[in-house]
Amino acid sequence: MNDESPIKRAGRSGGRSARHAARAAALPDNMRPVRAGMTGGRYKPLSDAEVQKIHQAALTALETIGLADAPPSGVEILTGAGAIMGDDGRIRFPRALVEDMLAVSCKDLTLCGRNPAHDLDLSGQRVHYGTAGAAVNMVDVSGNSYRDSTLQDLHDAARITDVLDNVHFLQRPMVARDILDNLEMDINTLYACCSGTTKHVGTSISDPSHVGDCLEFLYAAAGGEAKFRARPFVSMSNCFVVPPMKFATESCEAMETAIKGGMPVLLLSAGMSGATAPSTIAGAIVQAVAECLAGVVYVNAMAPGHPAIFGTWPFDLDLRTGSMTVGSGEQSLLSAGCAQMHAFYGVPGGATGGACDSKMPDMQAGWEQMGTNVLAGVAGCNMVYEAAGMHASLLGFCLESLILGDDLIGQALRCVRGIEVDDETLALDQMREVCMGTPDIPAVGHYLGTDQTLSRMQSDRIYPNLGNRMSPKEWVEKDRPNLVENAIARKEAILATRSAARFDPELDTKLRAQFNIHLPA
Amino acid sequence: MNDESPIKRAGRSGGRSARHAARAAALPDNMRPVRAGMTGGRYKPLSDAEVQKIHQAALTALETIGLADAPPSGVEILTGAGAIMGDDGRIRFPRALVEDMLAVSCKDLTLCGRNPAHDLDLSGQRVHYGTAGAAVNMVDVSGNSYRDSTLQDLHDAARITDVLDNVHFLQRPMVARDILDNLEMDINTLYACCSGTTKHVGTSISDPSHVGDCLEFLYAAAGGEAKFRARPFVSMSNCFVVPPMKFATESCEAMETAIKGGMPVLLLSAGMSGATAPSTIAGAIVQAVAECLAGVVYVNAMAPGHPAIFGTWPFDLDLRTGSMTVGSGEQSLLSAGCAQMHAFYGVPGGATGGACDSKMPDMQAGWEQMGTNVLAGVAGCNMVYEAAGMHASLLGFCLESLILGDDLIGQALRCVRGIEVDDETLALDQMREVCMGTPDIPAVGHYLGTDQTLSRMQSDRIYPNLGNRMSPKEWVEKDRPNLVENAIARKEAILATRSAARFDPELDTKLRAQFNIHLPA
């Protein structure tokens, strides 16, 4: 179709003002074309029989291999529930124990935002996208370079996430390397995230001895312990295992304190397929599932029904170099396969998707981020982590890419929403009227001005913010808009405003009196 | 994971030389990680009941609305088979007629390459990716600009396609605007494509009166009519309908001649959802299916079992502007939904996927191309057209993007291949050995050097050619490789070689004597 096609001319004359009027009316939230928590699951990379095989293999692994290195407290919790400590120091899990603990585990989890409008319902196969990771670099797109990430960068990422429609939560995506004391880093990470967005925040805590202080901070930020426990707006991302099949001793201790303190936990098993997990996709999923099932037993033996996310999070490895790769087709399958296992267990689950290996927000970044994001989504993954902004196989975070990721995820979410099929959408009546007319109306031969086209143009379709759909002619006339430059401009515009998510001044003063907050007031 | 992580160090010491040796051995074709014709279909955007509803709605549309504007020859063919010409000039199709013609239609189609190694088996839900379109511009990435496309550009695209593993066929992607005579353009388009690649070629023919000359060219190129009829290596892309629900009179005449001449035809219904097709995804699919079913009746009433591809090819429209958009989430659903309908009918089918709206091969191009390509693939689309190189909503073709598309499609194909689940891939034995050791071997705690990891590293994983997986440190050391610059370099390297696909000199001389070939010998 070229610029002078009859279709486009029809478009210009046949309803443009009507369409402009339709567009001017803002949509109520439930009419938006895409939203947090739409239901996926139409993509099933595994057959039902294959799901069963993976489940049985995971149970066998738990029963016969088990996990080493539980802390003493964990040994007590697990053996108290019926797990068996072997002479080799490995704790093994009878099948029935796993099934009993799955039965009492938290199913319909709501992750709270500081603002309840951002609450995330993780029931069924509802899909949410957000950031995550522990990048140590910031991507400087203007300078085509990488530099150490800082606390201010983290706060900026939170502020940007706060205003992006399709980034539904903020798990800490990078490390504040300018805070040298680890406890201060943990506290300031919480401050930088929570004062930048009212969406749900996830973070990890570097040392079990810090969890108490972090909880104190959160209780203070919530206006009291009871308020935090009622609506915990921060969850703990916990690497409770060191694959293959070992507990991470200190992280387990941190997890126990978090559970006692009322924090939801993300049970994160981050094996690398070919290094710390089997190189086969099925095998990597088996191991991740086995490890997370061990986590389910741990959590529910301690606190039945405690909110926990099944974080099967296997990464792909480039076997030529032994380096991690996160944007591959294999990665898409790893995460989508895991999502199907979450659905099989009926537990809230999460996996990685949307991270890329590319160093800059270029075409490779686009294809890698979409490949993993869209398949995780249509597979029905509750929480797609690292979905935006993540580069260099998790080593770099990019604010411009985070902004472009909002567009990208918008399109992925449209795929998750899927195809509505009913009498109206099948459109036979419209087709008849357009092709044959009615006694009153002649056949117009196109659908541009039909009531259905006009009434659904905002609720059915998601339009990009920065993605460019101009014709080459218009693109030249508009001085060839550059995607990354426009993302830089949007970043600067967002950061130039005063954040609506910042803490109430009185609370802020209180927090600053109690904790050494590094960000300026 | 940072550069100094234990995993990477283990990788460097624990099997790198073994992995290098494994990599050095070239893989036989059937061991390659991805291939043309892998089976998709694990993604089903429609439920079985929804597929039925679309099928029934399409039959109702054919029965009650029918199609206008058939040529006199088509009226005779169709009414002769049992279709009913109405007083309003519309031909209507009884349900039983459609079902009878589907029953005799070609199912297991093989599209031939000039080289049989490139034959495409379109049975079942086997997936192939290739170019297509009628772009009128070339994207000049170095100049950040667009210019008219030429015959040489088309030949270059063919030559590049010939050497790309994951671009399985060449349908003419752009128009040779430097050939002013339309018949000469058609002949030279065939020459430029066929002398550039031995993969299957598709093209359209601009006027029914040209088909005879084009067939003469093809017979000559094949070494005789019988040889072409035995292995037709060129198919006709035929826009036999003008949506909504009208036959394209001249194209139908061209199609009839092609069928008589032994060319496979692509029955192409290219409605635009919101303009020439209903704005709803389901409605656009219904109309495309109805139109293609009319095409099936047409072809099989004329020549039962004649090779034809069910080309439901609805495009998306940006309803704000009335401009076509091809890289959206809605487009992914349109094409994936159509692929499911092809599988329902058991006919070889094709749809669009992989085109983008972006003007340059940037991050937007990456996400748009992957979003539509990967979902068309996992939905099991036999022929994904416009899968590489296509920009500006089909107005521009880009050779560098074609090359990058090969990487992108490789990852999409890995998703199509899916997850193998069997005793070996479930990897319980490996897990046991790695975690607990055996009486003879101590537990090593990682999978880097296992037999399975080494033996499968080439056959399980697809590695990018230009996609970059370096760490930031290595990337800086290697002078920050730029994706697009590397694509330019690869393009120049390919075009600097002498094409292995060119015609035998004797044949070439003969063709040049018979036809006015514009490309230099």
Side-chain angles (χ1 to χ4, degrees):
Chain A
M1 177 175 148
N2 64 39
D3 284 349
E4 298 310 312
S5 81
I7 302 303
K8 263 190 92 171
R9 273 185 277 117
R12 283 184 178 136
S13 61
R16 173 168 263 212
S17 61
R19 289 199 306 278
H20 276 230
R23 175 157 55 114
L27 284 178
D29 235 34
N30 62 352
M31 289 278 288
R32 290 183 50 221
V34 300
R35 299 180 291 283
M38 292 186 311
T39 293
R42 289 294 177 105
Y43 172 48
K44 296 186 196 295
L46 303 165
S47 68
D48 290 349
E50 289 168 342
V51 166
Q52 274 293 344
K53 280 185 189 166
I54 288 173
H55 168 56
Q56 291 300 332
L59 290 183
T60 301
L62 287 170
E63 193 173 45
T64 62
I65 303 170
L67 279 80
D69 295 350
S73 53
V75 173
E76 197 182 320
I77 291 164
L78 292 166
T79 56
I84 298 153
M85 173 55 96
D87 295 339
D88 56 359
R90 305 188 72 88
I91 297 190
R92 294 182 174 80
F93 300 77
R95 289 172 126 76
L97 170 63
V98 177
E99 280 164 7
D100 288 351
M101 289 297 157
L102 272 171
V104 299
S105 71
C106 172
K107 303 294 187 313
D108 294 339
L109 171 56
T110 295
L111 284 180
C112 298
R114 195 148 62 83
N115 177 347
H118 294 308
D119 283 5
L120 307 177
D121 174 358
L122 271 56
S123 63
Q125 292 184 276
R126 294 175 187 275
V127 176
H128 310 85
Y129 290 93
T131 63
V136 291
N137 297 287
M138 283 299 285
V139 181
D140 173 354
V141 292
S142 304
N144 194 33
S145 63
Y146 276 57
R147 61 166 176 80
D148 287 0
S149 50
T150 68
L151 186 68
Q152 184 65 49
D153 293 326
L154 182 57
H155 184 57
D156 290 349
R159 292 192 52 199
I160 291 168
T161 295
D162 196 56
V163 301
L164 298 178
D165 281 344
N166 304 317
V167 181
H168 305 132
F169 59 90
L170 178 83
Q171 187 153 304
R172 180 251 3 230
M174 74 193 100
V175 177
R177 294 179 69 184
D178 53 339
I179 314 284
L180 301 180
D181 178 84
N182 279 341
L183 174 56
E184 284 196 12
M185 187 186 74
D186 287 342
I187 297 289
N188 277 275
T189 293
L190 286 170
Y191 183 92
C193 292
C194 295
S195 66
T197 182
T198 58
K199 296 182 181 179
H200 184 80
V201 165
T203 189
S204 68
I205 296 175
S206 57
D207 189 296
S209 71
H210 300 171
V211 181
D213 291 285
C214 288
L215 285 167
E216 285 312 312
F217 175 87
L218 292 173
Y219 297 161
E225 178 174 344
K227 285 192 177 162
F228 181 79
R229 285 179 178 273
R231 290 187 48 80
F233 52 85
V234 176
S235 56
M236 177 195 261
S237 168
N238 190 288
C239 287
F240 74 107
V241 284
V242 179
M245 303 297 276
K246 286 185 292 196
F247 283 111
T249 316
E250 292 209 338
S251 292
C252 287
E253 291 165 352
M255 180 175 76
E256 291 178 24
T257 312
I259 291 171
K260 288 176 195 152
M263 277 180 101
V265 292
L266 163 60
L267 296 166
L268 208 168
S269 153
M272 268 176 265
S273 173
T276 57
S279 76
T280 54
I281 294 167
I285 295 174
V286 167
Q287 186 179 295
V289 166
E291 289 166 344
C292 285
L293 286 173
V296 166
V297 174
Y298 202 141
V299 170
N300 289 283
M302 229 190 109
H306 185 84
I309 298 164
F310 203 81
T312 48
W313 204 316
F315 287 111
D316 187 25
L317 204 72
D318 188 307
L319 289 168
R320 300 170 306 178
T321 59
S323 299
M324 186 153 80
T325 167
V326 297
S328 64
E330 294 86 359
Q331 183 67 63
S332 296
L333 292 167
L334 284 165
S335 294
C338 286
Q340 223 182 318
M341 297 307 300
H342 310 160
F344 170 71
Y345 294 121
V347 294
T352 185
C356 67
D357 301 316
S358 186
K359 263 49 71 188
M360 288 287 148
D362 57 7
M363 184 167 159
Q364 179 189 347
W367 83 59
E368 292 181 330
Q369 294 188 13
M370 181 56 97
T372 50
N373 265 332
V374 75
L375 289 195
V378 293
C381 188
N382 292 135
M383 297 284 279
V384 185
Y385 292 100
E386 292 156 341
M390 201 52 120
H391 286 256
S393 317
L394 308 190
L395 289 174
F397 193 78
C398 177
L399 297 177
E400 290 79 6
S401 181
L402 171 63
I403 287 168
L404 293 169
D406 186 54
D407 259 13
L408 185 157
I409 295 169
Q411 300 301 329
L413 278 166
R414 185 62 188 83
C415 296
V416 173
R417 172 173 156 184
I419 304 174
E420 288 92 7
V421 180
D422 56 37
D423 282 348
E424 185 187 345
T425 59
L426 287 167
L428 269 176
D429 290 344
Q430 261 193 92
M431 206 178 297
R432 227 172 254 126
E433 182 183 316
V434 162
C435 294
M436 304 196 291
T438 67
D440 305 321
I441 310 167
V444 293
H446 67 76
Y447 299 81
L448 283 161
T450 68
D451 290 346
Q452 292 87 345
T453 296
L454 291 174
S455 68
R456 302 177 71 105
M457 65 172 282
Q458 291 283 75
S459 57
D460 269 9
R461 277 176 163 79
I462 169 137
Y463 301 102
N465 286 308
L466 295 176
N468 185 297
R469 293 178 169 178
M470 295 173 187
S471 71
K473 185 164 167 284
E474 188 183 2
W475 176 75
V476 168
E477 286 163 5
K478 296 274 166 66
D479 291 332
R480 309 169 207 230
N482 178 285
L483 191 72
V484 173
E485 282 167 18
N486 285 339
I488 294 172
R490 183 155 189 227
K491 175 190 78 171
E492 289 171 353
I494 293 169
L495 297 179
T497 62
R498 201 165 151 75
S499 166
R502 67 193 187 282
F503 290 123
D504 169 84
E506 199 177 326
L507 172 60
D508 198 63
T509 304
K510 200 178 136 200
L511 291 171
R512 286 173 184 275
Q514 196 177 348
F515 302 94
N516 183 14
I517 301 302
H518 289 239
L519 286 174
Chain B
M1 177 175 148
N2 65 38
D3 284 349
E4 299 309 313
S5 81
I7 302 300
K8 262 190 93 172
R9 273 185 278 118
R12 282 180 181 141
S13 61
R16 173 168 263 212
S17 61
R19 287 199 306 278
H20 275 233
R23 177 157 55 115
L27 284 179
D29 234 34
N30 62 354
M31 289 277 291
R32 288 182 50 220
V34 300
R35 298 179 293 284
M38 292 187 310
T39 293
R42 291 294 177 105
Y43 173 48
K44 295 186 196 295
L46 302 165
S47 69
D48 291 349
E50 288 167 343
V51 166
Q52 274 294 345
K53 279 185 192 168
I54 288 173
H55 168 56
Q56 292 301 332
L59 290 183
T60 301
L62 286 170
E63 194 173 45
T64 62
I65 302 170
L67 278 81
D69 294 351
S73 52
V75 173
E76 196 181 320
I77 291 163
L78 292 166
T79 55
I84 297 153
M85 172 55 95
D87 296 339
D88 56 358
R90 306 188 73 88
I91 296 191
R92 295 182 172 80
F93 300 77
R95 289 170 125 79
L97 170 63
V98 177
E99 280 163 6
D100 289 350
M101 290 296 158
L102 272 171
V104 300
S105 71
C106 172
K107 303 294 188 313
D108 293 340
L109 172 57
T110 295
L111 283 181
C112 298
R114 196 149 60 84
N115 177 347
H118 293 309
D119 282 5
L120 307 177
D121 173 358
L122 272 56
S123 64
Q125 291 185 279
R126 293 175 187 276
V127 176
H128 310 84
Y129 290 93
T131 63
V136 291
N137 297 287
M138 283 300 286
V139 181
D140 173 356
V141 292
S142 304
N144 193 34
S145 63
Y146 276 57
R147 62 166 175 80
D148 286 0
S149 50
T150 68
L151 187 67
Q152 184 65 49
D153 294 325
L154 183 56
H155 185 57
D156 290 348
R159 292 192 52 199
I160 291 169
T161 295
D162 196 56
V163 301
L164 298 179
D165 282 345
N166 305 316
V167 181
H168 304 132
F169 60 90
L170 178 83
Q171 186 153 305
R172 181 258 349 242
M174 73 195 100
V175 177
R177 294 179 70 183
D178 52 340
I179 314 285
L180 300 180
D181 177 84
N182 280 339
L183 174 57
E184 285 196 11
M185 187 185 74
D186 287 341
I187 298 288
N188 277 275
T189 293
L190 286 170
Y191 183 92
C193 292
C194 296
S195 67
T197 182
T198 58
K199 296 181 180 178
H200 184 80
V201 165
T203 188
S204 67
I205 296 176
S206 57
D207 189 293
S209 70
H210 300 170
V211 180
D213 292 284
C214 289
L215 284 167
E216 286 312 312
F217 175 87
L218 292 173
Y219 297 161
E225 178 174 344
K227 285 192 177 162
F228 182 80
R229 285 180 178 272
R231 290 188 47 80
F233 53 84
V234 175
S235 55
M236 177 195 261
S237 168
N238 190 288
C239 288
F240 75 108
V241 286
V242 179
M245 304 297 276
K246 286 184 292 192
F247 284 110
T249 316
E250 292 209 337
S251 294
C252 288
E253 291 165 352
M255 179 175 77
E256 290 178 25
T257 312
I259 290 171
K260 288 175 195 154
M263 279 181 98
V265 292
L266 162 61
L267 296 166
L268 208 168
S269 153
M272 269 176 262
S273 173
T276 58
S279 75
T280 54
I281 294 167
I285 296 174
V286 167
Q287 185 179 296
V289 166
E291 289 166 343
C292 285
L293 287 173
V296 166
V297 174
Y298 202 142
V299 170
N300 289 282
M302 227 189 112
H306 185 83
I309 298 164
F310 202 82
T312 47
W313 204 316
F315 287 110
D316 187 25
L317 204 71
D318 188 307
L319 289 168
R320 300 170 305 179
T321 60
S323 299
M324 187 153 80
T325 168
V326 297
S328 64
E330 294 86 1
Q331 183 67 63
S332 296
L333 293 168
L334 284 165
S335 293
C338 285
Q340 222 181 319
M341 297 308 299
H342 309 160
F344 170 71
Y345 293 121
V347 295
T352 186
C356 66
D357 301 316
S358 186
K359 261 52 70 189
M360 288 287 150
D362 58 6
M363 182 167 162
Q364 179 189 348
W367 84 60
E368 292 181 329
Q369 293 189 15
M370 182 57 98
T372 51
N373 265 330
V374 74
L375 289 194
V378 294
C381 188
N382 292 135
M383 296 284 279
V384 186
Y385 292 100
E386 292 158 341
M390 201 52 119
H391 286 255
S393 317
L394 308 190
L395 288 174
F397 192 79
C398 177
L399 298 177
E400 291 79 7
S401 181
L402 172 61
I403 287 169
L404 293 170
D406 186 54
D407 259 14
L408 184 158
I409 294 168
Q411 301 300 329
L413 278 165
R414 186 60 187 85
C415 297
V416 173
R417 172 173 156 184
I419 305 175
E420 289 91 6
V421 180
D422 56 37
D423 282 348
E424 184 186 344
T425 59
L426 287 167
L428 269 175
D429 291 344
Q430 262 193 91
M431 207 178 296
R432 226 173 252 126
E433 182 184 316
V434 162
C435 293
M436 303 196 293
T438 66
D440 305 322
I441 309 167
V444 294
H446 66 75
Y447 299 80
L448 282 161
T450 68
D451 291 346
Q452 292 86 346
T453 296
L454 291 174
S455 68
R456 302 177 70 105
M457 66 171 282
Q458 290 284 75
S459 58
D460 269 11
R461 277 176 164 79
I462 170 138
Y463 300 101
N465 286 308
L466 295 177
N468 186 297
R469 293 177 169 179
M470 296 172 184
S471 71
K473 185 164 168 283
E474 188 184 2
W475 176 75
V476 169
E477 286 164 4
K478 298 272 166 66
D479 290 332
R480 307 169 209 231
N482 178 285
L483 190 72
V484 173
E485 283 168 16
N486 285 339
I488 294 172
R490 184 156 187 227
K491 175 190 76 171
E492 289 172 353
I494 293 169
L495 296 179
T497 63
R498 202 165 149 74
S499 165
R502 67 193 185 282
F503 290 124
D504 169 82
E506 199 177 327
L507 173 60
D508 198 63
T509 305
K510 200 179 137 200
L511 291 171
R512 286 172 184 276
Q514 196 177 347
F515 301 94
N516 184 14
I517 301 302
H518 289 238
L519 286 175

